[in-house]
Amino acid sequence: MKAIIYDKESKEEKLILQEVQKPLPSENEILVKVHSTAVNAADYRSMKMGLIPKNKIFGADVAGTVEVIGENVKNFSVGDEVVGDLSAHGFGGFAQYVPANESAWVLKPQSISFDMAASVPMSSVTALQALRLGNVQPGQKVLICGSGGGVGTFAVQLAKSL
Amino acid sequence: MSVHSQYNLQSHFNAEVTVVCGTRNVSIMQLLDADHIINYTSDSFVNKDERYDLILAINGNYLLSDYKKALKYQGRVVIVGGSLSQLLKSLTFGKLLFLGSKKLHTLSAKPSTADLQMILQLVEQKKVIPVIDRFYPLDQTAVALNYLQQGHAQGKVIINIDEAISSSEY
Ligand SMILES: NC(=O)c1ccc[n+]([C@@H]2O[C@H](COP(=O)([O-])OP(=O)(O)OC[C@H]3O[C@@H](n4cnc5c(N)ncnc54)[C@H](OP(=O)(O)O)[C@@H]3O)[C@@H](O)[C@H]2O)c1
């Protein structure tokens, strides 16, 4: 498969498109054929801090189709459309296929495109958890500094409509 | 977790939202129904009379004392991100500066499939609309990350993997 491999030895561009072996899922994992992956600050911040995923492939917010399931997988079947935040499961989204524990994934609603689904996990969950941590109550006045980015565009909408 | 169980799908934050953004994001904020917009190129919340119950510091670089001053009694500021100096200051001086009724919290978000499912439902119901700035094919991932890192993406930046295959293999 094609994947963007992080090569820390490379003098110029460290993110390089390479042909690597297509992975197989372990017993609790599903292998997802990736359609869309969002980029996040978590990708470049981890890179800068030298926190490199085991397989050297970044990319956390993934939407795709289940291609193979591990033998202990209970909640997904081949062909299911899924989306997940893989930042706690080794990243791997900048690739044609990614295996990750089934606990990382949820079913993608049919009416939402893969691109749209991939844009949701990290940023929106961050926005929601920020509003909760701030214990916002109905009708309260909220100021959102930096509203135009991934987290901000979700925070504005969640603060108003949730 | 206690903070998590306080809200369910039926609850309404229904807050009155003021946003701080640059000129290019003003029209997006209008579309997303922000109640008040402060364009940081010509205006600032600092030294205004308005006081807030909650400030989300997602991007930017302000003094913690500016946030504190803009809070109501018992107001909270949640530091989500922004400049490194803002983050470091919040970790080192935050506790000291916010000893009174106003509180500072630093967010460390955790992936949650429960939260993700709930938001996907809101997206399905069109109550939340993901904003996507632009798309790149897989082989342009470095360019995409570089663009994001400039700090001015408008909503999300997406790598479309299928597109990379269609243009390079067929
Ligand atoms: N605490 C956590 O757990 C957690 C989780 C996720 C992300 N984060 C952090 O949260 C921050 C935001 O993430 P993101 O994904 O939303 O980033 P992003 O998409 O890169 O944010 C870009 C947006 O920030 C705005 N911006 C930049 N400088 C600004 C300023 N001085 N004042 C107001 N707005 C400004 C830009 O609007 P203009 O073009 O109008 O300036 C742009 O729309 C990052 O620092 C990230 O590391 C933290």
Side-chain angles (χ1 to χ4, degrees), chain A residues 37 40 136 141 157 162, chain B residues 7 12-13 53 129 156 159:
Chain A
T37 300
N40 280 289
V136 63
K141 290 191 177 186
Q157 300 182 74
L162 205 66
Chain B
Y7 300 103
H12 292 269
F13 288 163
D53 298 285
I129 301 161
K156 296 298 295 179
I159 308 295

Side-chain angles (χ1 to χ4, degrees), chain A residues 41 45 126 146 148-151, chain B residues 22 24-25 40 58-60 80 82 107 109 151-153:
Chain A
R45 295 223 159 152
T126 299
V151 179
Chain B
R24 50 208 288 279
N25 286 318
Y40 70 71
I58 297 174
N59 234 329
V80 178
L107 178 71
H152 296 288

Side-chain angles (χ1 to χ4, degrees), chain A residues 25-32 60 62 66 69-70 72-76 82-90 98-107 121 125, chain B residues 110-117:
Chain A
S26 66
E27 52 190 17
N28 296 313
E29 289 180 336
I30 60 178
L31 180 72
V32 171
V62 177
V66 177
I69 62 171
N72 294 342
V73 167
K74 295 187 183 61
N75 299 314
F76 296 96
V82 294
V83 51
D85 170 356
L86 310 187
S87 60
H89 295 270
V98 61
N101 195 290
E102 68 168 324
S103 65
W105 305 95
V106 304
L107 286 173
V125 168
Chain B
K110 301 275 181 302
S112 158
T113 50
D115 287 349
L116 174 56
Q117 247 156 352

Side-chain angles (χ1 to χ4, degrees), chain B:
Chain B
M1 272 185 286
S2 61
V3 284
H4 285 242
S5 53
Q6 280 179 24
Y7 300 103
N8 55 37
L9 257 182
Q10 274 72 50
S11 72
H12 292 269
F13 288 163
N14 205 3
E16 181 179 333
V17 179
T18 304
V19 297
V20 177
C21 66
T23 309
R24 50 208 288 279
N25 286 318
V26 167
S27 55
I28 294 178
M29 290 302 128
Q30 285 165 340
L31 279 175
L32 299 185
D33 237 8
D35 297 293
H36 313 282
I37 300 172
I38 298 175
N39 181 338
Y40 70 71
T41 61
S42 55
D43 199 1
S44 174
F45 72 88
V46 182
N47 300 324
K48 273 201 195 316
D49 294 332
E50 197 63 65
R51 295 291 176 265
Y52 301 93
D53 298 285
L54 172 63
I55 300 176
L56 298 187
I58 297 174
N59 234 329
N61 187 10
Y62 296 93
L63 299 172
L64 295 181
S65 54
D66 289 338
Y67 290 133
K68 188 178 178 188
K69 205 176 138 203
L71 286 177
K72 288 185 184 173
Y73 173 72
Q74 294 194 333
R76 292 86 53 200
V77 54
V78 174
I79 305 286
V80 178
S83 75
L84 203 57
S85 88
Q86 174 175 278
L87 286 173
L88 290 177
K89 277 184 223 150
S90 71
L91 291 173
T92 46
F93 305 120
K95 283 265 167 357
L96 263 177
L97 189 62
F98 287 79
L99 277 175
S101 79
K102 303 176 182 180
K103 293 295 170 213
L104 176 137
H105 303 282
T106 306
L107 178 71
S108 174
K110 301 275 181 302
S112 158
T113 50
D115 287 349
L116 174 56
Q117 247 156 352
M118 169 177 152
I119 296 162
L120 285 170
Q121 215 169 320
L122 293 170
V123 174
E124 221 185 347
Q125 296 163 357
K126 301 202 162 55
K127 290 181 180 159
V128 167
I129 301 161
V131 177
I132 298 179
D133 178 336
R134 51 176 82 181
F135 300 92
Y136 290 91
L138 182 62
D139 59 358
Q140 298 291 308
T141 298
V143 180
L145 273 165
N146 192 41
Y147 172 68
L148 182 72
Q149 214 169 336
Q150 307 303 311
H152 296 288
Q154 298 181 276
K156 296 298 295 179
V157 176
I158 302 290
I159 308 295
N160 191 294
I161 314 284
D162 301 322
E163 199 177 310
I165 300 158
S166 57
S167 56
S168 63
E169 283 189 356
Y170 301 104

